[in-house]
Amino acid sequence: MTARPTVLLCDDSRALRMLAASQLEESGFQVAGEARNGLEASELYAALKPDLVLLDLVMPECDGRRALAAILQADPDARVVILSSLGAQNDIEECLKMGARSYLQKPIDPEAMERVLRDALA
């Protein structure tokens, strides 16, 4: 792992990616890359090998569940944290069973994000 943990930020909202990237940088993380959908997320994960992935569930072309499965198939040790505005506990529980390390609800609370991501690295 690098001195500043690297994060792949995956969300279809450009505004959310910009806000989260700023919060990540302020918390001592380095944004390794940004993806707009699950397909980009799995491709960028393979290319960048970040320390963490912050992955939205609802995205076009390839949703977060499918991206999570692809990332974990390529690297079973991948540290993925689900990011979602969905209130559906079933979706989050399914992702945790699949191998996601944790989850964050939107809107993102900066302190909660830092705590959850540092826990995922531990």
Side-chain angles (χ1 to χ4, degrees):
M1 189 170 13
T2 58
R4 290 182 65 209
T6 56
V7 179
L8 174 59
L9 184 52
C10 312
D11 196 289
D12 57 324
S13 166
R14 183 174 183 270
L16 186 127
R17 290 194 316 269
M18 290 174 61
L19 177 64
S22 174
Q23 292 172 345
L24 286 165
E25 293 287 339
E26 287 177 20
S27 296
F29 294 91
Q30 178 181 345
V31 177
E34 296 183 16
R36 296 171 294 176
N37 60 55
L39 183 60
E40 284 183 7
S42 55
E43 290 173 353
L44 282 174
Y45 182 84
L48 300 173
K49 300 287 191 225
D51 297 316
L52 289 161
V53 179
L54 193 53
L55 182 65
D56 187 18
L57 274 182
V58 180
M59 296 182 288
E61 294 182 47
C62 174
D63 68 17
R65 270 182 241 98
R66 289 181 20 212
L68 174 64
I71 290 168
L72 290 174
Q73 183 176 3
D75 180 1
D77 296 322
R79 295 176 180 108
V80 181
V81 173
I82 298 299
L83 176 63
S84 183
S85 56
L86 288 178
Q89 195 63 27
N90 292 344
D91 293 323
I92 293 168
E93 288 174 9
E94 180 184 343
C95 289
L96 293 172
K97 286 178 186 172
M98 290 171 63
R101 301 287 174 109
S102 191
Y103 70 95
L104 286 166
Q105 287 289 147
K106 293 179 191 175
I108 302 170
D109 173 83
E111 291 176 10
M113 179 175 65
E114 182 176 3
R115 183 178 60 252
V116 166
L117 294 182
R118 297 225 181 262
D119 286 350
L121 285 170

